[in-house]
Amino acid sequence: MLAQDQPVEWTPKAHDLLEAAAALFYERGIAAVGVDTVAQHAGVTKKTLYDRFGSKERLVAEYLRSREEQRRAALVAALDEARDPVERVAAVYDGTRAWAAAQPVWRGCPVVNAHAEINTAGHPAYPLVAEQKRWTRDLFSGLLVYAGVPAEHRDALATQLLALLEGAQVVVGMGADPHGFLRARDAGVALVRSVLA
Amino acid sequence: MLAQDQPVEWTPKAHDLLEAAAALFYERGIAAVGVDTVAQHAGVTKKTLYDRFGSKERLVAEYLRSREEQRRAALVAALDEARDPVERVAAVYDGTRAWAAAQPVWRGCPVVNAHAEINTAGHPAYPLVAEQKRWTRDLFSGLLVYAGVPAEHRDALATQLLALLEGAQVVVGMGADPHGFLRARDAGVALVRSVLA
DNA sequence: GACGCGGTAGACCGACCTGTCTACCTTCGG
DNA sequence: CCGAAGGTAGACAGGTCGGTCTACCGCGTC
């Protein structure tokens, strides 16, 4: 078995495995997908899966890490196109919408979904889950500093912007409104404007 | 086995089973909890479980139905205390916060969590999941009519209020901000006020 | 006193789960 | 030419899963 904290060796088949695992875990749920299924979809033997990742838990952790990497890349891409402070807040919603649209199917935030299935604190994906929302909140917080939002409003507003972003992912993922990201963007912009005025 | 659409016979042990199942499914995840574990926690035999509910899927559906019943009861309780139109919108957030606080642990919306684990459209809990967000959106929609929000703003605003509510549940559930419900409430009120002015 | 009912106790089934193992094949660098 | 590395094929182990079944018990009611 692969040692627990030893990094994954990214052979071509390891990439195939991650790709297959990511799609299956996201679309069907983590516990609902067995390692045999993942290996089969990747066109690979189970032994190769264990040679590269060492355990299913580790594969899950890598799945979440890679999805989060994608997301942050989409966010910086969207942020690079906006210089106006309020537009930069809006860009977070646009970037998330673009990231969601890039997935073959959208079933809500992968981290939230994984959180619903991971109970043991010892799971290697646990720290990733805990860190992700904090990171996004800090992102908003920084954008609010840049926008000149007074410190007394900053914490509350960061939470509100984060709630809108998370809520939009849920709303779209459950099919309650296909324009959820645009609506959330408008609301976020309105909230920021109201404390700047 | 219990017939698929035949109603559950609510004997005392059936209630014990639902209570145990609800706690376990919510706190550990649905797939992670076996029927043996549920029966054991309820102080009941597996046979009794199957005599009353017929299948695990059916038990899951009843779990979600009962949690949603609780939630709507908390919402009407909060709504009954508010007559002012904007205060009634705020009451939805307060009611949800009270409902969340009533749970021994809060790990986000049970329906969203279940949605992450349920992939098969034939699952008896599937219609419940699909209906729930629509119902809540309709609730906001009705409150906005009552508040005199012009029709052109109503749909977008209902989605924004729903996103704030769902987002607050995520934010609190993942520990990103313990005051998530209060923040969401303030943001929702501000958004409603801005279209009324 | 017979019967139905809700329940216990626990064996049992086949399927599937994560994870390991042996044996062999291919490719490539020194 | 050799050996290491990445891989295939597939059996295997031990455990858990959802679900079924038989045998029995206690209680209330015709």
Side-chain angles (χ1 to χ4, degrees), chain B residues 67-85:
Chain B
R67 275 287 215 268
E68 180 62 8
E69 204 171 86
Q70 280 176 26
R71 187 183 74 103
R72 295 187 189 181
L75 291 186
V76 302
L79 282 166
D80 276 354
E81 287 179 15
R83 218 164 275 117
D84 173 75

Side-chain angles (χ1 to χ4, degrees), chain B residues 34-35 46-47 50 55-56:
Chain B
V35 287
K46 218 178 5 164
K47 182 174 176 296
Y50 278 92
S55 71
K56 181 185 179 181

Side-chain angles (χ1 to χ4, degrees), chain B residues 37-51:
Chain B
T37 308
V38 173
Q40 191 184 331
H41 274 72
V44 147
T45 327
K46 218 178 5 164
K47 182 174 176 296
T48 301
L49 189 157
Y50 278 92
D51 283 348

Side-chain angles (χ1 to χ4, degrees), chain B residues 80-93:
Chain B
D80 276 354
E81 287 179 15
R83 218 164 275 117
D84 173 75
V86 177
E87 277 304 309
R88 283 176 68 83
V89 171
V92 177
Y93 297 91

Side-chain angles (χ1 to χ4, degrees), chain B residues 1 8 16 22-23 29 46 49 91 94 106 110 118 126 128 136 140 150 152 155-157 165 169 172:
Chain B
M1 186 191 338
V8 173
D16 293 351
K46 218 178 5 164
L49 189 157
D94 293 339
W106 179 252
I118 295 176
Y126 199 85
L128 295 168
T136 308
F140 277 125
E152 68 217 88
D155 278 5
L157 192 47
L165 186 68
Q169 293 179 66
V172 175

Side-chain angles (χ1 to χ4, degrees), chain A:
Chain A
M1 184 182 356
L2 182 75
Q4 207 167 358
D5 24 3
Q6 194 175 206
V8 174
E9 209 164 326
W10 288 106
T11 64
K13 300 288 183 183
H15 280 106
D16 294 350
L17 276 163
L18 180 61
E19 205 173 325
L24 288 165
F25 288 157
Y26 182 63
E27 287 167 29
R28 303 190 194 173
I30 293 170
V33 173
V35 287
D36 300 82
T37 308
V38 173
Q40 191 183 330
H41 274 72
V44 146
T45 326
K46 217 175 11 163
K47 181 174 176 294
T48 301
L49 189 157
Y50 277 93
D51 282 349
R52 294 294 138 254
F53 297 94
S55 72
K56 181 186 179 178
E57 289 190 345
R58 186 68 190 277
L59 183 55
V60 170
E62 291 296 329
Y63 146 60
L64 288 178
R65 201 196 43 70
S66 80
R67 275 287 212 272
E68 180 63 8
E69 203 172 85
Q70 279 175 28
R71 186 181 77 102
R72 296 188 188 181
L75 290 186
V76 301
L79 282 167
D80 276 354
E81 287 179 13
R83 217 162 278 118
D84 173 75
V86 177
E87 277 304 309
R88 281 176 69 82
V89 170
V92 176
Y93 297 91
D94 293 338
T96 306
R97 185 172 116 263
W99 171 61
Q103 314 299 327
V105 295
W106 179 252
R107 288 183 29 98
C109 173
V111 172
V112 171
N113 290 355
H115 180 251
E117 297 204 62
I118 295 175
N119 34 47
T120 46
H123 197 293
Y126 200 83
L128 295 168
V129 171
E131 192 245 348
Q132 198 243 18
K133 299 308 166 203
R134 198 176 50 75
W135 185 91
T136 308
R137 221 193 87 107
D138 288 350
L139 172 65
F140 277 124
S141 226
L143 292 176
L144 293 179
V145 172
Y146 177 70
V149 169
E152 69 216 88
H153 291 127
R154 216 178 290 143
D155 277 4
L157 191 46
T159 292
Q160 289 162 346
L161 295 177
L162 177 61
L164 276 168
L165 186 68
E166 294 299 326
Q169 294 180 67
V170 171
V171 164
V172 175
M174 316 254 309
D177 188 334
H179 308 107
F181 287 110
L182 298 175
R183 303 285 175 251
R185 178 196 135 116
D186 292 346
V189 166
L191 290 172
V192 174
R193 287 236 163 87
S194 75
V195 304
L196 285 179

Side-chain angles (χ1 to χ4, degrees), chain A residues 28-29 31-32 107 112-113 115-117 119 133 137 156 159-160 163-164 166-167 170 173-174 176-177 183 186-187 191, chain B residues 28-29 31-32 107 112-113 115-117 119 129 133 137 156 159-160 163-164 166-167 170 173-174 176-177 183 186-187 191:
Chain A
R28 303 190 194 173
R107 288 183 29 98
V112 171
N113 290 355
H115 180 251
E117 297 204 62
N119 34 47
K133 299 308 166 203
R137 221 193 87 107
T159 292
Q160 289 162 346
L164 276 168
E166 294 299 326
V170 171
M174 316 254 309
D177 188 334
R183 303 285 175 251
D186 292 346
L191 290 172
Chain B
R28 303 190 193 172
R107 291 186 24 100
V112 171
N113 289 356
H115 179 252
E117 297 204 64
N119 35 47
V129 170
K133 299 308 167 203
R137 222 194 84 106
T159 293
Q160 288 162 347
L164 277 168
E166 295 299 327
V170 171
M174 316 254 308
D177 188 336
R183 302 286 175 250
D186 291 346
L191 290 172

